[in-house]
Amino acid sequence: PTHPDTADVLVVGGGIGGLGAAFALAGEGLRVRVLEAAPEFGEVGAGLQLAPNGTRVLHEYGLLDEAKRRGVVPETMVMFDAVDATELTRLDLRDLERRYGFPYIVIHRSDLHALLLDACRRAGVDLATDSRVVEYRTRGPRPSVVLADGRIEDADVVIAADGLHSVARDRFVGDAPVGSSYVAYRGAVPIDDVRDQRVHENAVVVYVGPRCHFVQYALRGGEMFNQVAVFQSPKALAGEDDWGTPDELDEAFADTAEQVRAGIPLMWRDRWWRMFDREPVDTWVFDRVALLGDAAHPPLQYLAQGAIMALEDGWVLARHAARNRAADGTVDWAAALAGYQAVRPEHCRRVQRTARAWGELWHLDGLARAQRNRILRERDTYDYTFVDWLYGPTALEPDREAPMFVPIPLDSFADAAP
Ligand code: FAD
């Protein structure tokens, strides 16, 4: 392992974003040290969807086969109306794989995290736990960070991958997370517990309904079944502190179809998550400190792209480091970070904005819901207009940028809303 004071790169935060970046940079021969606040590396939550733009990065890292082994490669993604359980639209994930060159997979968060952690270990990344960064210093020849216990560490460059509540974001941008009034419950159970409900084992299923939605898919080679229930919390909306309690969960799904209601009792009821994002910002690089992952661009989760964007960031960053590396091995970090900054914010801004719009569309009620359903039913399964910009390689190669994505005009629904 590398000695701290000889690290080329310090990565703050050992989540999926931080570990992905650390692995990619170590792969370029750089000495990388990860500083993780928690006493152990790990992930909370259950399933994670990885669309082709995410599995493309895993393929580049040589980790895709293992990810597929640990996860599930579903055949379809189907959207149903949560109230009447009618089908609205679907994606044929086999065709999607042919189109974009990489599969759509689902994987347990802790499995993806463990896979990246193992890869970092093999690549010689220096991994430190109990290392909470409380301050960043950009003056002087090398940037440095101050840890909670007073230690100071420096490197040629610091990558802040410290998540939604990023200290670096606070220090350099100074904005606050934007709280939506939506709350998520998660839950993963053995597949046998849901067999009698005749759930779709080979599909990613989402039921969209008024102020709520429900996601289901099998995990871990089909042994587990993952569910996410999201709803607007009346107490969160009213600004009360005890938002999202289980009685609110039950109430939010009371008028949904039987298929949906059957899943609600299986949710973990001792922990729930408020949905936050932030306003997009165009500047992620502050001298020799760069934001990455949720620290830079936390989205609402409706497009299932947060972890993917974090993985993409690391891959792009490492490519720019490699491009700006002299024969003696030194990296022109100003140029590398400028390259990273030139490529990523525009795409991530678009994901953040579209995720918000997508969430609004999912949660419509009344006439607007009926209009949405009609439009979605008319969509051809093999029409990729809405996902080309997202699942294709454009996020990594801006010279291949697709035309600006135009979401279904929400204004027309807003006018019609009761
Ligand atoms: P984090 O995972 O938050 O990691 C940050 C790390 O930094 C943590 O380990 C933390 O302990 C550490 N840390 C924090 N502060 C400090 C500090 N001061 N010093 C040192 N270390 C620190 N994304 C997808 O791609 N697909 C999906 O299907 C999907 N589904 C989702 C469903 C839900 C309900 C939610 C809430 C999110 C979902 N996401 C999904 C988004 C995804 O989970 C996140 O975008 C992703 O995990 C962000 O990774 P990260 O490494 O940037 O941040």
Side-chain angles (χ1 to χ4, degrees):
T2 324
H3 190 266
D5 62 19
T6 60
D8 300 313
V9 183
L10 282 176
V11 175
V12 180
I16 288 164
L19 293 183
F23 177 71
L25 292 164
E28 299 300 337
L30 294 162
R31 291 164 302 180
V32 184
R33 177 164 160 86
V34 176
L35 302 172
E36 166 58 48
E40 272 174 53
F41 284 97
E43 259 281 337
V44 289
L48 200 64
Q49 305 179 46
L50 291 178
N53 58 321
T55 54
R56 179 180 197 234
V57 176
L58 293 182
H59 168 80
E60 296 279 336
Y61 292 166
L63 301 174
L64 181 56
D65 287 341
E66 200 183 340
K68 283 165 76 171
R69 259 199 307 281
R70 295 201 198 187
V72 167
V73 188
E75 284 166 15
T76 48
M77 180 187 279
V78 195
M79 181 178 281
F80 295 100
D81 182 284
V83 178
D84 59 22
T86 56
E87 180 173 330
L88 300 179
T89 192
R90 67 168 59 214
L91 286 172
D92 173 344
L93 298 181
R94 294 289 178 268
D95 190 63
L96 196 87
E97 177 171 353
R98 280 190 292 278
R99 181 175 179 86
Y100 300 113
F102 302 96
Y104 196 110
I105 71 170
V106 293
I107 185 166
H108 200 290
R109 272 165 194 275
S110 55
D111 291 343
L112 177 63
H113 188 269
L115 196 143
L116 291 168
L117 191 63
D118 287 347
C120 281
R121 288 201 175 107
R122 287 196 302 272
V125 173
D126 179 16
L127 297 156
T129 50
D130 286 313
S131 301
R132 178 175 297 279
V133 170
V134 293
E135 178 54 25
Y136 291 77
R137 294 185 178 161
T138 52
R139 292 222 182 94
R142 280 155 68 87
S144 59
V145 296
V146 182
L147 303 184
D149 61 7
R151 270 182 294 153
I152 296 177
E153 298 203 11
D154 67 4
D156 292 339
V157 67
V158 177
I159 308 302
D162 49 347
L164 174 67
H165 300 287
S166 166
V167 170
R169 174 84 174 222
D170 191 43
R171 159 85 161 70
F172 294 107
V173 181
D175 65 336
V178 178
S180 87
S181 49
Y182 281 78
V183 172
Y185 275 67
R186 292 157 156 168
V189 294
I191 194 87
D192 289 335
D193 291 6
V194 292
R195 279 255 154 76
D196 58 345
Q197 295 177 18
R198 289 187 286 127
V199 295
H200 304 262
E201 291 181 35
N202 291 315
V204 174
V205 172
V206 54
Y207 292 90
V208 298
R211 295 167 296 281
C212 70
H213 73 266
F214 191 55
V215 181
Q216 296 181 310
Y217 49 84
L219 267 183
R220 281 220 172 115
E223 288 167 25
M224 285 174 86
F225 197 65
N226 181 61
Q227 303 192 110
V228 188
V230 177
F231 61 94
Q232 188 173 46
S233 155
K235 283 186 263 183
L237 203 58
E240 291 169 32
D241 286 335
D242 61 335
W243 47 263
T245 43
D247 56 307
E248 285 198 334
L249 167 74
D250 293 330
E251 177 61 28
F253 286 92
D255 296 329
T256 56
E258 194 194 328
Q259 293 92 317
V260 177
R261 276 184 288 119
I264 299 299
L266 299 174
M267 307 311 298
W268 297 331
R269 284 175 173 254
D270 55 352
R271 187 149 186 213
W272 49 91
W273 289 264
R274 182 89 170 256
M275 305 283 92
F276 285 95
D277 67 355
R278 284 179 188 261
E279 291 301 330
V281 287
D282 293 330
T283 306
W284 299 354
V285 175
F286 305 88
D287 206 348
R288 295 290 183 83
V289 178
L291 305 179
L292 182 144
D294 272 8
H297 45 70
L300 292 178
Q301 83 286 10
Y302 306 113
L303 290 176
Q305 285 281 322
I308 295 175
M309 288 192 286
L311 287 170
E312 289 174 337
D313 288 347
W315 188 78
V316 169
L317 186 65
R319 274 197 24 182
H320 284 282
R323 273 188 206 159
N324 291 286
R325 204 152 189 220
D328 68 357
T330 53
V331 174
D332 177 350
W333 280 110
L337 294 177
Y340 169 70
Q341 160 113 334
V343 178
R344 296 294 299 157
E346 170 61 15
H347 175 79
C348 296
R349 185 184 65 77
R350 207 190 281 186
V351 173
Q352 286 176 288
R353 289 259 182 264
T354 309
R356 282 186 184 173
W358 201 222
E360 285 183 49
L361 191 72
W362 282 13
H363 298 140
L364 291 172
D365 197 359
L367 178 59
R369 166 181 158 239
Q371 289 177 314
R372 173 204 63 203
N373 287 359
R374 244 190 87 179
I375 291 173
L376 288 177
R377 280 195 195 101
E378 279 167 13
R379 177 189 159 269
D380 186 278
T381 299
Y382 298 94
D383 173 4
Y384 292 105
T385 319
F386 290 105
V387 289
D388 270 344
W389 69 281
L390 194 57
Y391 297 163
T394 54
L396 304 176
E397 294 160 23
D399 35 327
R400 295 176 58 178
E401 196 75 83
M404 184 64 187
F405 171 72
V406 186
I408 296 175
L410 279 171
D411 292 350
S412 58
F413 293 112
D415 288 344

